[in-house]
Amino acid sequence: MIEVQHLTKRYGPTTAVDDVSFTVEKGEVLGFLGPNGAGKTTTMRVLTGYMPPTEGRAVVAGFDISDEPIEAKRRIGYLPETPPLYPEMTVRDYLLFVSRIKGVPRASRAARVNEVMERTRVADVATRHCGKLSKGYRQRVGLAQAVLHNPDVLILDEPTAGLDPKQIIETRQLIKEFGGDHTIILSTHILPEVSQTCHRVVIINKGRVVAVDTPDNLTARVRGSETMYVQVEAPAPADVQTALAAVSGVTHVSLAETRGPIAGYEVNSEAGRDVRRELASAVVVKGWGLLELRPLRMSLEEIFLHLTTEEVAHE
Amino acid sequence: MSNMLAIAQKELKGYFASPIAYIVIGFSAILFGWFFINLLYYFDRMAMQAGGGFGGPQSVNVNESLIAPLFLNVSVILLFTLPLVTMRTYSEEKRSGTIELLLTSPLTDLQIVMGKFLGGLVLYAAMLAVTVVHMAFLFAFGNPEWRPVVTGYLGLLLMGSCFLSLGLFISSLTRNQIVAGMITFAVFLLFWVVNWISTFTGPTTQAVLNYLSITEHLNDFTRGVVDTKHLVYYVSFIAFSLFLTVRSVDSERWRG
């Protein structure tokens, strides 16, 4: 549904987006994860036809955004970081205006606006001026504006930024509801959001794609395997390392820290294989003291940090 | 076409939802009324003198002595009011981020620019419509020729369109509407006074400066003459400004 190939965007000497490629399948919810200034907004602006790419191309719903912008834009709904509301218009007038410029046929405009207002739960403020709405309502009117013309693709830039926890949950719920009919790209720098709402994640940092995968796979991929932390009291750490490495299923053992006779080891094992029992007995059999044995899990937060800092280190 | 009208309607609603439309129409009505009264007294005095045989002109023509100068005075009103009309057109959309909605909707840049121009033009036409009342009085109590009146309005519409298109372009250059308004006012003023120096320059420079002056081209219209020369000037001025606006919006996309 969305195909991005070698997208690069430069502003003068600065490169905001650098050779970004990814695809999004129909009905998928793709999360765009990255710190502020990573190039998320720029990528989305290119995808929506707000600005042209310096290099590369983006195809949305079968139309190249540079070659056939009008056709592509008909199939995109976009919620920018700040909802593009006209403060002097009422919510209904605003949505009627948007439905008109988005090409909703005249006959079905009023009905469509009502339907979308119900769905995004803004019907109760239909006659209020957009400028007088609370942040939560503004965001929902912004979302309503994006889905009015029933686009194939929804692009949402930080849809939950600045909302209170209750509003965040409501907005996520809405996004999930829309996920069935629309292909969605949403950007965020809030990590739990990605695992909760997205099928797949693109991690972007300094304009580059660092990783593209499902949230689960990402976790596994960064770990590469299962990792255990083992703390052992033994006279010679080298012996422990050899003993641990000898356990079947263990791929790698590294010394993490030492405090006198006590040493901590990180033990990697084949993915999906639980080697805790074997590790424990390997230590106990030698008569060493097993002080600690726990799996090392990386939260998305850590993955994110890991991936983005790793990328910088490569540069 | 429908897209253009949608934008134009939105612009127009925006003018009337804010004080701008009322200020522009109200104050121009007051100023026009003031000019009208002044010229009417002056005309009245001249007519009395002509009729009384105090050595004044044999007869005075209401078109020449009242309506034509009145139309020329309108350019002063435009100088002050039209920057108010155009200063927010693009600046405000850029500042508030609504430009993202317009530029990501299935609209061409030309449709957006034309829509905004049309919106401003309708407001300007409403401003002129108020002055029709004054003209109606002249027709009711005198017998002016209607042709110079019609061509005068045509000239005013064209001249105003020049100001509007230029203001639109200037507004597209900045996200600060005060800056846009100030620059627009300064540039309007420049186009208004550009030929003041022409009496002190050589004939070629004089011709060029006179040609550049927006108001200079209005003269013939107020006398009932529609000269192609002036039409070409006004229409190409408008077209060029609108073209620049489209380019400016487009270049904004590149610069981000």
Side-chain angles (χ1 to χ4, degrees):
Chain A
M1 189 54 80
I2 301 171
E3 221 183 310
V4 177
Q5 291 167 355
H6 305 292
L7 198 79
T8 298
K9 177 72 189 176
R10 290 189 201 95
Y11 303 113
T14 50
T15 305
V17 174
D18 192 3
D19 196 25
V20 163
S21 303
F22 61 89
T23 55
V24 191
E25 301 302 324
K26 195 173 188 314
E28 200 176 13
V29 180
L30 180 86
F32 233 59
L33 190 58
N36 290 322
K40 290 171 295 185
T41 299
T42 303
T43 309
M44 292 186 148
R45 284 181 164 178
V46 171
L47 281 180
T48 52
Y50 177 71
M51 46 173 63
T54 314
E55 277 162 39
R57 58 192 225 117
V59 180
V60 179
F63 295 94
D64 189 306
I65 191 73
S66 305
D67 298 342
E68 292 170 284
I70 301 289
E71 284 305 313
K73 284 172 187 175
R74 270 189 224 288
R75 289 160 181 81
I76 301 173
Y78 175 42
L79 172 62
E81 217 170 328
T82 37
L85 308 180
Y86 291 101
E88 73 277 5
M89 285 192 198
T90 65
V91 171
R92 184 188 300 276
D93 282 349
Y94 170 71
L95 292 176
L96 282 171
F97 165 68
V98 175
S99 67
R100 193 169 166 195
I101 59 171
K102 296 281 184 187
V104 177
R106 177 191 285 268
S108 55
R109 261 179 231 152
R112 178 68 190 156
V113 166
N114 284 337
E115 183 192 331
V116 169
M117 282 199 300
E118 287 297 330
R119 232 181 134 180
T120 54
R121 300 189 257 294
V122 295
D124 48 330
V125 293
T127 54
R128 283 253 284 272
H129 288 272
C130 290
K132 302 224 162 104
L133 296 178
S134 69
K135 178 83 185 148
Y137 271 117
R138 288 167 156 268
Q139 205 71 24
R140 293 218 288 277
V141 174
L143 206 55
Q145 161 276 129
V147 298
L148 263 181
H149 55 305
N150 201 14
D152 297 335
V153 174
L154 266 182
I155 297 183
L156 313 172
D157 198 354
E158 307 248 356
T160 57
L163 299 182
D164 66 37
K166 185 166 165 278
Q167 294 166 333
I168 290 182
I169 293 168
E170 283 171 0
T171 308
R172 278 187 199 148
Q173 190 55 41
L174 262 179
I175 293 170
K176 269 189 193 161
E177 283 170 30
F178 285 121
D181 324 330
H182 310 269
T183 304
I184 300 182
I185 298 188
L186 67 91
S187 78
T188 178
H189 59 269
I190 307 162
L191 299 155
E193 192 155 289
V194 170
S195 45
Q196 283 174 26
T197 41
C198 304
H199 301 131
R200 242 163 19 112
V201 188
V202 171
I203 296 185
I204 185 167
N205 187 44
K206 302 205 162 178
R208 291 200 188 168
V209 170
V210 184
V212 188
D213 220 324
T214 62
D216 292 343
N217 277 355
L218 263 179
T219 318
R221 203 170 111 194
V222 173
R223 278 189 288 165
S225 53
E226 309 288 329
T227 306
M228 295 294 162
Y229 178 81
V230 190
Q231 206 178 53
V232 181
E233 190 178 2
D239 291 346
V240 182
Q241 210 164 335
T242 323
L244 291 178
V247 172
S248 115
V250 171
T251 51
H252 182 73
V253 180
S254 60
L255 189 63
E257 53 183 341
T258 47
R259 275 200 316 268
I262 301 167
Y265 307 86
E266 277 182 17
V267 179
N268 295 52
S269 61
E270 288 162 20
R273 197 159 157 189
D274 189 355
V275 292
R276 280 178 291 182
R277 276 176 217 86
E278 290 84 346
L279 285 175
S281 58
V283 173
V284 174
V285 159
K286 298 271 187 182
W288 299 323
L290 179 60
L291 303 179
E292 198 176 342
L293 173 62
R294 61 180 161 92
L296 279 179
R297 276 222 184 77
M298 277 181 135
S299 68
L300 257 175
E301 211 117 0
E302 283 170 294
I303 295 167
F304 178 64
L305 279 174
H306 186 89
L307 285 170
T308 50
T309 48
E310 193 175 60
E311 175 66 15
V312 174
H314 284 198
E315 275 174 352
Chain B
M1 192 65 187
S2 156
N3 288 336
M4 192 179 90
L5 290 179
I7 302 286
Q9 261 182 30
K10 186 222 86 178
E11 289 293 310
L12 211 55
K13 276 187 192 161
Y15 288 133
F16 282 95
S18 70
I20 290 183
Y22 306 100
I23 289 176
V24 165
I25 293 177
F27 277 92
S28 53
I30 291 171
L31 283 168
F32 188 86
W34 185 249
F35 288 141
F36 181 78
I37 297 264
N38 273 297
L39 283 164
L40 194 64
Y41 278 134
Y42 178 71
F43 174 76
D44 193 39
R45 166 91 45 93
M46 286 222 304
M48 297 254 273
Q49 282 174 350
F54 295 113
Q58 284 308 301
S59 68
V60 282
N61 179 316
V62 66
N63 286 93
E64 267 172 37
S65 310
L66 177 56
I67 297 174
L70 194 57
F71 278 141
L72 290 174
N73 280 336
V74 171
S75 59
V76 183
I77 302 176
L78 301 190
L79 201 62
F80 292 96
T81 50
L82 293 189
L84 281 174
V85 174
T86 58
M87 68 181 193
R88 45 170 266 156
T89 43
Y90 268 100
S91 310
E92 184 63 17
E93 304 245 18
K94 278 190 189 180
R95 198 192 53 76
S96 70
T98 46
I99 191 78
E100 283 199 74
L101 170 67
L102 296 185
L103 294 189
T104 58
S105 293
L107 306 169
T108 62
D109 289 350
L110 185 66
Q111 284 167 344
I112 301 173
V113 171
M114 289 305 290
K116 284 178 173 293
F117 173 67
L118 201 65
L121 190 60
V122 172
L123 177 65
Y124 171 52
M127 182 179 132
L128 285 184
V130 176
T131 68
V132 172
V133 177
H134 303 85
M135 293 298 165
F137 274 109
L138 292 181
F139 277 97
F141 296 102
N143 55 343
E145 257 187 274
W146 63 269
R147 256 182 67 100
V149 175
V150 171
T151 58
Y153 273 116
L154 175 68
L156 281 182
L157 273 177
L158 284 167
M159 187 177 73
S161 299
C162 285
F163 281 141
L164 286 171
S165 57
L166 190 60
L168 202 59
F169 169 59
I170 293 167
S171 180
S172 76
L173 299 174
T174 170
R175 57 177 58 227
N176 185 325
Q177 49 172 312
I178 305 297
V179 170
M182 227 21 245
I183 296 178
T184 308
F185 175 67
V187 173
F188 283 6
L189 195 61
L190 198 67
F191 269 104
W192 196 51
V193 302
V194 71
N195 64 335
W196 284 12
I197 203 174
S198 65
T199 40
F200 308 108
T201 59
T204 319
T205 322
Q206 185 177 6
V208 170
L209 291 180
N210 277 336
Y211 188 77
L212 278 180
S213 169
I214 288 187
T215 42
E216 198 64 25
H217 294 272
L218 187 65
N219 286 336
D220 280 349
F221 282 102
T222 62
R223 297 193 194 106
V225 180
V226 180
D227 194 328
T228 331
K229 177 172 79 180
H230 304 310
L231 274 180
V232 167
Y233 172 85
Y234 279 145
V235 171
S236 49
F237 192 108
I238 296 162
F240 186 61
S241 299
L242 292 177
F243 168 77
L244 284 181
T245 315
V246 172
R247 300 314 300 171
S248 154
V249 175
D250 192 40
S251 83
E252 181 78 7
R253 291 171 182 250
W254 286 95
R255 283 180 284 121

